[in-house]
Amino acid sequence: QVQLVESGGGLAQAGGSLRLSCAASGRTDGYDTIGWFRQAPGKEREFVARIRRSSSTTYYADSVKGRFTISRDETKNTMYLQMNSLKPDDTAVYYCAASSRVVFGAKSDYNYWGQGTQVTVSS
């Protein structure tokens, strides 16, 4: 089992930045892909970005491409999401998720989920 704990959420102004962290524990060799999803009130949970452990290959949703950067620190078993040029539409609960397989943006492909961290962007 892999446990995931998010941190770093909070309030930002439009145009500002935040950095989210996701710390993995437990069987930390038990996943290949790790990424971020988000869910705004009344909306479906949607894919944001993901990165592979072995190659650090990244993949982004079009809505965040060029503004968000996903990265990871293997020595700390921690993944990051640097969010720049934030918009009010980025307001959501952000979830860390991991998969034992090579996957992209389908939430059903992810086995492990964190509890989420709230990001609120004011205009």
Side-chain angles (χ1 to χ4, degrees):
Q1 290 286 341
V2 179
Q3 289 80 46
L4 304 171
V5 178
E6 304 95 335
S7 61
L11 177 65
Q13 291 189 332
S17 299
L18 282 174
R19 188 176 82 154
L20 305 182
S21 300
C22 172
S25 61
R27 190 182 170 191
T28 55
D29 63 345
Y31 66 91
D32 179 280
T33 303
I34 190 164
W36 293 94
F37 287 75
R38 66 186 182 186
Q39 188 166 17
K43 294 189 176 181
E44 293 286 322
R45 191 171 299 189
E46 64 175 8
F47 170 76
V48 176
R50 71 79 155 142
I51 188 167
R52 289 193 61 199
R53 285 188 63 212
S54 58
S55 64
S56 292
T57 305
T58 58
Y59 177 66
Y60 294 91
D62 288 343
S63 59
V64 306
K65 210 173 285 184
R67 299 189 299 123
F68 291 8
T69 302
I70 190 170
S71 62
R72 56 186 298 272
D73 186 333
E74 179 73 14
T75 63
K76 297 180 180 179
N77 289 317
T78 301
M79 175 188 62
Y80 305 97
L81 184 69
Q82 178 66 43
M83 305 186 293
N84 298 329
S85 303
L86 284 163
K87 305 174 182 180
D89 283 350
D90 295 319
T91 296
V93 177
Y94 283 70
Y95 296 90
C96 177
S99 174
S100 55
R101 302 180 290 120
V102 180
V103 296
F104 289 90
K107 58 182 181 288
S108 59
D109 287 338
Y110 288 77
N111 317 70
Y112 308 104
W113 291 86
Q115 294 300 306
T117 185
Q118 176 71 47
V119 170
T120 302
V121 183
S122 62
S123 56

Short mmCIF file of all heavy atoms in Angstrom, two decimals, residues 19 37-38 63-64 76:
data_model
loop_
_atom_site.label_atom_id
_atom_site.label_comp_id
_atom_site.label_asym_id
_atom_site.label_seq_id
_atom_site.Cartn_x
_atom_site.Cartn_y
_atom_site.Cartn_z
N ARG A 19 2.75 26.36 -4.18
CA ARG A 19 3.39 25.08 -4.45
C ARG A 19 2.78 24.02 -3.53
O ARG A 19 2.78 24.17 -2.31
CB ARG A 19 4.90 25.13 -4.21
CG ARG A 19 5.60 23.84 -4.68
CD ARG A 19 7.10 23.89 -4.56
NE ARG A 19 7.55 23.58 -3.21
CZ ARG A 19 8.75 23.07 -2.93
NH1 ARG A 19 9.60 22.82 -3.91
NH2 ARG A 19 9.10 22.84 -1.68
N PHE A 37 -4.85 15.59 -9.38
CA PHE A 37 -6.19 15.85 -9.87
C PHE A 37 -6.78 16.99 -9.06
O PHE A 37 -6.27 17.33 -8.01
CB PHE A 37 -7.08 14.61 -9.71
CG PHE A 37 -6.76 13.51 -10.68
CD1 PHE A 37 -5.64 12.71 -10.53
CD2 PHE A 37 -7.60 13.25 -11.76
CE1 PHE A 37 -5.34 11.70 -11.42
CE2 PHE A 37 -7.32 12.24 -12.66
CZ PHE A 37 -6.19 11.46 -12.48
N ARG A 38 -7.86 17.55 -9.54
CA ARG A 38 -8.55 18.59 -8.78
C ARG A 38 -10.04 18.48 -8.98
O ARG A 38 -10.51 17.98 -10.00
CB ARG A 38 -8.06 19.98 -9.17
CG ARG A 38 -8.40 20.39 -10.58
CD ARG A 38 -7.75 21.74 -10.91
NE ARG A 38 -8.08 22.19 -12.26
CZ ARG A 38 -7.56 23.27 -12.83
NH1 ARG A 38 -6.67 24.02 -12.17
NH2 ARG A 38 -7.92 23.63 -14.05
N SER A 63 -5.36 22.80 -19.75
CA SER A 63 -5.77 23.97 -18.98
C SER A 63 -4.66 24.52 -18.08
O SER A 63 -4.73 25.67 -17.64
CB SER A 63 -7.00 23.64 -18.13
OG SER A 63 -6.71 22.56 -17.26
N VAL A 64 -3.64 23.71 -17.79
CA VAL A 64 -2.57 24.16 -16.90
C VAL A 64 -1.21 24.20 -17.58
O VAL A 64 -0.23 24.65 -16.99
CB VAL A 64 -2.49 23.27 -15.63
CG1 VAL A 64 -3.84 23.20 -14.94
CG2 VAL A 64 -1.97 21.88 -15.96
N LYS A 76 13.29 12.21 -1.12
CA LYS A 76 12.31 12.56 -0.09
C LYS A 76 10.97 11.88 -0.31
O LYS A 76 10.03 12.10 0.46
CB LYS A 76 12.10 14.08 -0.06
CG LYS A 76 13.34 14.86 0.31
CD LYS A 76 13.05 16.36 0.32
CE LYS A 76 14.29 17.15 0.70
NZ LYS A 76 14.04 18.61 0.69
#
